[in-house]
Amino acid sequence: MRKVQFYGAVSIDGYLATTDDRLDWLFKTGGADQAPTAEFMQAVDTAIMGRRTYEYTMEQTTDQLINPYNPLTKNIVMTSDPQPSTAHTTFTNADITNVVKQLLTEPGQNIWIVGGSGVLMPLLTADLVDELFIQVAPVLLGDGIPLFTKVDYTHRFELVETNHYGQLAELHFQR
């Protein structure tokens, strides 16, 4: 059965990136190479992200792959201004909860939620996220792009595991 999983890193104060979308604070944090990213990514065949995450990733990678561990990963980019789709990337302004509900009816591997609150929060609100893998870097940014935004409900997860990779602490939660 497919799972919907968030996998990503934040600062101690909960930011995914700086206000100008930089991640240099994360790349300067030792330990990312020790995390089991390859194992996680090999179990993923669909990645869902916002346009900013997609554009940043494309600017930073030479191979133009969101998931280098599974080059056949289908990328779904949520955007208010859809572009023509490519062989591995679909741009859509469809409701993200409907997109995920449809994906869950189809056979496949896990679904990776990439990026920020614009993608993650509607799925959390709809109770569609099965697991959160949150790596915390020992840096305070003070401001930036938050992983979570204000909600008017309580949503409880179970802490399944904690791991330590160099200077990163990884928290693994399940619904």
Side-chain angles (χ1 to χ4, degrees), residues 7-167:
Y7 184 92
V10 296
S11 62
I12 293 172
D13 47 354
Y15 296 109
L16 289 167
T18 62
T19 54
D20 58 353
D21 296 325
R22 288 191 354 265
L23 294 175
D24 56 330
W25 59 272
L26 178 59
F27 300 138
K28 292 176 184 175
T29 303
D33 58 331
Q34 298 169 27
T37 304
E39 291 85 358
F40 176 87
M41 300 289 203
Q42 288 167 352
V44 167
D45 71 355
T46 305
I48 302 175
M49 69 211 76
R51 180 193 48 79
R52 285 173 36 195
T53 299
Y54 175 77
E55 289 176 356
Y56 177 84
T57 303
M58 292 299 102
E59 288 173 10
Q60 301 300 314
T61 61
T62 56
D63 57 15
Q64 300 295 286
L65 296 172
I66 299 293
N67 182 356
Y69 302 100
N70 181 355
L72 299 178
T73 296
K74 177 182 177 183
N75 304 308
I76 300 173
V77 179
M78 308 306 298
T79 177
S80 60
D81 184 25
Q83 308 297 314
S85 296
T86 66
H88 294 291
T89 304
T90 300
F91 298 88
T92 182
N93 60 2
D95 179 88
I96 190 168
T97 58
N98 291 334
V99 169
V100 169
K101 286 176 184 177
Q102 177 61 42
L103 289 169
L104 289 172
T105 68
E106 301 168 2
Q109 293 179 277
N110 295 333
I111 301 164
W112 175 29
I113 305 305
V114 187
S117 61
V119 174
L120 181 60
M121 294 309 293
L123 297 174
L124 284 171
T125 300
D127 201 25
L128 290 172
V129 178
D130 298 301
E131 294 181 297
L132 300 164
F133 292 86
I134 301 173
Q135 295 169 351
V136 181
V139 60
L140 292 167
L141 295 178
D143 194 10
I145 300 168
L147 175 57
F148 301 106
T149 55
K150 185 177 177 181
V151 294
D152 59 358
Y153 63 90
T154 299
H155 196 93
R156 185 165 296 277
F157 280 78
E158 176 185 350
L159 177 62
V160 177
E161 187 175 24
T162 59
N163 292 294
H164 181 242
Y165 307 115
Q167 288 297 300

